Amino acid sequence: MYHSVTAKRILFFVKEHHVENFKELAEKMAGFITLSKTGALNLEETWLTAFNIWVLLQPDDELIIESFDKTLYYSTNHIIITALTNDYQFNFIRTHPKSTPELIYIATILLTMALNSWYMKLLTDNHLNDIAERMLHQNYFESHLGEEDAINLFINDQARVVKVLVYELSHTNTFERIIKNACDNAQFIYKDTFQNEQFIHSIKSKSLL
């Protein structure tokens, strides 16, 4: 499913080499870690979510910026992006000098699945199951390209979720906990895996290291 990732389908302005680098990592790490559906999005859209998170984890010198036009439509995503960029554990992984492409990728996968599960729980706990159902059957990251009625419904859905999302972020620490857990697990998995000489050799043979 990662083959369907394109620069035009995400929430940031990126260059083609970012897409190629992400797909190369996804292919070379597929036998070790990959995505599964864990939330309201279908698997293809989940891979796009992962690419968004991976892009956000790239170093500052990449000069990647969020698409302002899409921010107007995907207000919930903008709020989550802001929360991620302000999160200590997320930035620790992103900026640590010893963070490697493999560690960043592992963190991306774990963060994507954790956030998808968290988001789905947020919807169900707040009786927004109708929104979850619509998300499952739509090309989420192309929702701004739909017919006028569909776009208006999508924007209304976003507004409904924003209300509960803002409350959740400001009144609980569930977001910080899942980010810390995902980042900690990524570091544990990375350390354990790359101490395995057989795995290191197999990855080196694919020119990843």
Side-chain angles (χ1 to χ4, degrees):
M1 283 291 185
Y2 60 84
H3 296 293
S4 62
V5 169
T6 66
K8 292 182 179 180
R9 298 182 69 193
I10 67 162
L11 303 178
F12 299 91
F13 294 113
V14 297
K15 296 181 179 179
E16 192 58 35
H17 76 267
H18 293 115
V19 179
E20 294 170 358
N21 289 346
F22 178 78
K23 289 182 177 180
E24 180 178 314
L25 276 167
E27 180 177 354
K28 292 177 179 178
M29 298 285 279
F32 169 62
I33 188 169
T34 191
L35 277 179
S36 59
K37 183 188 174 306
T38 55
L41 296 175
N42 62 49
L43 189 55
E44 183 174 327
E45 301 299 307
T46 300
W47 273 106
L48 292 172
T49 300
F51 186 44
N52 277 296
I53 292 173
W54 181 82
V55 165
L56 201 59
L57 281 166
Q58 298 310 296
D60 291 332
D61 57 12
E62 293 289 343
L63 299 177
I64 295 168
I65 61 173
E66 195 174 355
S67 169
F68 175 75
D69 290 342
K70 290 184 180 179
T71 298
L72 300 176
Y73 294 97
Y74 301 90
S75 51
T76 59
N77 297 86
H78 175 67
I79 291 171
I80 292 173
I81 287 169
T82 300
L84 281 172
T85 57
N86 289 326
D87 185 85
Y88 172 81
Q89 294 294 332
F90 186 87
N91 282 304
F92 181 85
I93 289 282
R94 185 179 70 84
T95 62
H96 197 282
K98 292 187 178 180
S99 287
T100 64
E102 296 77 28
L103 174 57
I104 294 295
Y105 182 79
I106 294 168
T108 295
I109 298 300
L110 297 183
L111 284 164
T112 299
M113 293 193 291
L115 283 170
N116 279 0
S117 296
W118 173 77
Y119 194 87
M120 183 64 172
K121 186 175 187 303
L122 187 69
L123 295 180
T124 56
D125 286 352
N126 289 276
H127 311 293
L128 299 175
N129 303 75
D130 60 315
I131 295 177
E133 183 66 20
R134 280 192 287 276
M135 289 177 65
L136 180 61
H137 298 290
Q138 67 187 171
N139 295 325
Y140 179 82
F141 290 103
E142 295 180 355
S143 298
H144 63 293
L145 302 176
E147 299 294 332
E148 183 177 356
D149 288 346
I151 292 176
N152 288 337
L153 177 59
F154 179 75
I155 292 175
N156 182 64
D157 285 349
Q158 290 281 298
R160 291 168 62 197
V161 178
V162 162
K163 292 180 181 179
V164 299
L165 179 59
V166 169
Y167 182 89
E168 183 78 9
L169 291 174
S170 60
H171 288 78
T172 78
N173 65 348
T174 57
F175 183 86
E176 289 84 357
R177 288 206 313 268
I178 66 165
I179 299 306
K180 183 180 188 305
N181 186 59
C183 290
D184 285 348
N185 285 341
Q187 293 176 78
F188 293 144
I189 292 171
Y190 175 80
K191 181 179 179 181
D192 288 346
T193 301
F194 282 82
Q195 288 178 336
N196 183 319
E197 293 184 2
Q198 183 177 358
F199 181 82
I200 293 173
H201 177 74
S202 69
I203 293 296
K204 281 184 175 179
S205 68
K206 297 177 181 178
S207 303
L208 184 59
L209 295 177

